[in-house]
Amino acid sequence: GQNIDQPTEMTATEGAIVQINCTYQTSGFNGLFWYQQHAGEAPTFLSYNVLDGLEEKGRFSSFLSRSKGYSYLLLKELQMKDSASYLCAVRDSNYQLIWGAGTKLIIKP
Amino acid sequence: NAGVTQTPKFQVLKTGQSMTLQCAQDMNHEYMSWYRQDPGMGLRLIHYSVGAGITDQGEVPNGYNVSRSTTEDFPLRLLSAAPSQTSVYFCASSYSENGDEKLFFGSGTQLSVL
């Protein structure tokens, strides 16, 4: 079957750096996405990786290794507003998105 | 642009009742979809549409119907509500730019079936 694994919850300190990992086993691969979801709100798009390597967007970076079925989202200079769930999703060979359950990130002052 | 407008935000139903969740987008996106989100699980695709007049089933379609008569609207119908359909529902639309398919989500509907 298809599977996306990410940690259920992580805690980090304001101003620090945190890395959220995502491993996947899917039938085919056509891109990996990261979304941010604040409590009670809709997910919003953060990043997209289809080739191996690091994509940087301001304080957020996303890395992909297709051979290892692995991605991570790196958040730098953490702010309290970064407290949210982070969803990893993979587009499979049928171009359908398979979603992880999300990682709840708690930022402490 | 309003983006994706989804109504209602909250709904309580009794078992066996039917209802329609409304979804409209003003971004001229061809692709629209409905997801449900349950605690401890990833988003699960219910139905999707790649354009007006075209719909298809996702991972968990049973108990739900959709139609797509216009590019803008994609309503989701619960035929006979069951407690297992208690969930948060999200409508989404998307475009593809250089393969980078960004989903734009509505604000969600929290549905409770008693």
Side-chain angles (χ1 to χ4, degrees), chain A residues 50-81:
Chain A
V50 67
L51 299 176
D52 290 351
L54 188 68
E55 295 277 345
E56 297 187 78
K57 280 187 181 181
R59 294 189 299 114
F60 291 13
S61 303
S62 57
F63 171 83
L64 174 67
S65 170
R66 288 172 295 171
S67 63
K68 295 182 179 178
Y70 168 70
S71 172
Y72 67 73
L73 182 68
L74 191 71
L75 290 74
K76 303 176 185 175
E77 301 170 12
L78 285 170
Q79 302 176 10
M80 297 304 293
K81 66 178 182 180

Side-chain angles (χ1 to χ4, degrees), chain B residues 39-75:
Chain B
M41 301 181 71
L43 288 164
R44 291 185 291 169
L45 182 65
I46 304 171
H47 285 284
Y48 66 98
S49 168
V50 298
I54 306 168
T55 64
D56 208 345
Q57 296 181 350
E59 180 186 355
V60 287
N62 292 342
Y64 308 94
N65 272 357
V66 291
S67 59
R68 185 89 181 273
S69 55
T70 66
T71 298
E72 294 77 21
D73 299 298
F74 191 46

Side-chain angles (χ1 to χ4, degrees), chain B:
Chain B
N1 285 353
V4 180
T5 302
Q6 185 180 336
T7 57
K9 193 156 181 65
F10 300 96
Q11 184 70 51
V12 178
L13 294 177
K14 295 181 179 178
T15 297
Q17 287 185 319
S18 62
M19 77 159 296
T20 300
L21 278 63
Q22 302 292 343
C23 177
Q25 53 94 7
D26 61 359
M27 297 175 283
N28 203 32
H29 290 169
E30 291 296 325
Y31 183 90
M32 296 187 74
S33 53
W34 277 101
Y35 286 93
R36 59 178 290 172
Q37 187 174 40
D38 299 292
M41 301 181 71
L43 288 164
R44 291 185 291 169
L45 182 65
I46 304 171
H47 285 284
Y48 66 98
S49 168
V50 298
I54 306 168
T55 64
D56 208 345
Q57 296 181 350
E59 180 186 355
V60 287
N62 292 342
Y64 308 94
N65 272 357
V66 291
S67 59
R68 185 89 181 273
S69 55
T70 66
T71 298
E72 294 77 21
D73 299 298
F74 191 46
L76 178 73
R77 297 183 189 83
L78 278 71
L79 309 173
S80 177
S84 61
Q85 293 179 306
T86 293
S87 186
V88 179
Y89 292 84
F90 288 102
C91 176
S93 71
S94 68
Y95 74 96
S96 182
E97 184 178 62
N98 301 321
D100 183 353
E101 191 175 286
K102 308 171 193 284
L103 280 173
F104 293 83
F105 286 87
S107 56
T109 298
Q110 189 167 322
L111 174 67
S112 295
V113 183
L114 307 177

